Amino acid sequence: MVDQDWLKARRAVLADAAGVGVAVGALGLSFGALAVVSGFSVWQACALSLLMFSGASQFAVIGVLAAGGGAFTGAATATLLGVRNALYGLNLSSLLRVRGLRRLFGAQLVIDESSAMALVRDEPRQARLAFWATGISVFVFWNLATLVGAFGAQVLPDPEALGLDVAAPAAFLALLMPRLRDRRLWAVAIAAAVTALLTVPVLPAGLPVLAAGLVAVLVALRGRRDRSGTVPTGVDRRESTEAASVPGAGRDGDR
């Protein structure tokens, strides 16, 4: 007997996953083009998308290197930005229950979008489908868009005339803004931004981004410790109750 409720839910999840893949993947056009403008080859840009597959970290790498920073600084900045993916993985491990090579493939798909799509669903089967469908959708569209954007920038006579020099910070802000949902996250973002602005005149290229990332981590950890076991003043208690109902919410690695 066919479970009609499951089929309906499955169609909805797959449709949402495809929409997320197209929307997020479109940023891959900017990444591919900007990577080429910053001195990367088409294949180097594609390799970053295939192997790193973390939009914010990828933009950080090419941004640091384009500004004259060293490879170590670029890698360190990308690593700081990618730490959150490891925390997502802690939340998702008990839900996905994967082993062997499938676990390695699943780890590559642990990104903001796949984690969010999984953790907002109460039914485990839907959550697992949402994770895999969203992760694969974003991976495919992001990598295709990177290839198209990189080739496009290579054939343009003057790609910098299109304003691609501001594409990285614009794309980074586009990734960041939807995630600033409460005062704590705004405090982290503002502290990091102020740190970057103050250190730009005195530190070599690339290091202000790294310093801002370190400050963001410290502010976030302090805020997490201060609010442990309590609902912060000014935060809607209804939101706290709703968050507690989401699978994995309240544990280490919570979005």
Side-chain angles (χ1 to χ4, degrees), residues 7-232:
L7 291 178
K8 183 178 179 180
R10 183 174 181 272
R11 285 193 295 268
V13 169
L14 293 177
D16 288 345
V20 171
V22 172
V24 176
L27 281 174
L29 292 169
S30 294
F31 171 75
L34 188 61
V36 169
V37 171
S38 300
F40 287 74
S41 70
V42 171
W43 304 117
Q44 286 172 331
C46 291
L48 271 177
S49 286
L50 281 168
L51 302 176
M52 183 176 285
F53 187 49
S54 178
S57 296
Q58 290 178 230
F59 278 111
V61 167
I62 64 173
V64 168
L65 295 181
F72 174 80
T73 303
T77 304
T79 300
L80 277 176
L81 291 170
V83 165
R84 71 191 190 284
N85 293 347
L87 300 180
Y88 294 155
L90 293 176
N91 259 358
L92 293 166
S93 60
S94 59
L95 172 67
L96 300 177
R97 300 195 301 271
V98 291
R99 296 290 184 272
L101 292 177
R102 195 180 179 201
R103 187 182 184 91
L104 291 176
F105 180 59
Q108 181 72 345
L109 300 181
V110 176
I111 53 175
D112 294 337
E113 293 75 19
S114 62
S115 301
M117 287 281 283
L119 294 175
V120 297
R121 285 170 169 79
D122 296 322
E123 205 280 312
R125 183 162 61 160
Q126 291 185 30
R128 286 191 288 270
L129 175 63
F131 170 81
W132 290 108
T134 304
I136 292 172
S137 177
V138 174
F139 185 84
V140 170
F141 282 108
W142 179 268
N143 280 280
L144 287 175
T146 297
L147 180 62
V148 172
F151 269 122
Q154 194 175 52
V155 300
L156 288 175
D158 186 12
E160 293 185 357
L162 299 177
L164 291 177
D165 55 323
V166 299
F172 192 87
L173 286 176
L175 291 169
L176 174 66
M177 292 303 294
R179 293 161 175 76
L180 301 182
R181 298 189 181 96
D182 57 41
R183 294 178 182 176
R184 180 177 63 90
L185 295 177
W186 273 103
V188 172
I190 291 172
V194 170
T195 300
L197 289 174
L198 292 177
T199 54
V200 163
V202 296
L203 292 180
L207 289 183
V209 177
L210 185 57
L214 289 171
V215 168
V217 170
L218 293 175
V219 173
L221 290 175
R222 179 174 180 179
R224 190 179 183 85
R225 182 184 61 190
D226 290 344
R227 71 188 185 124
S228 176
T230 63
V231 178

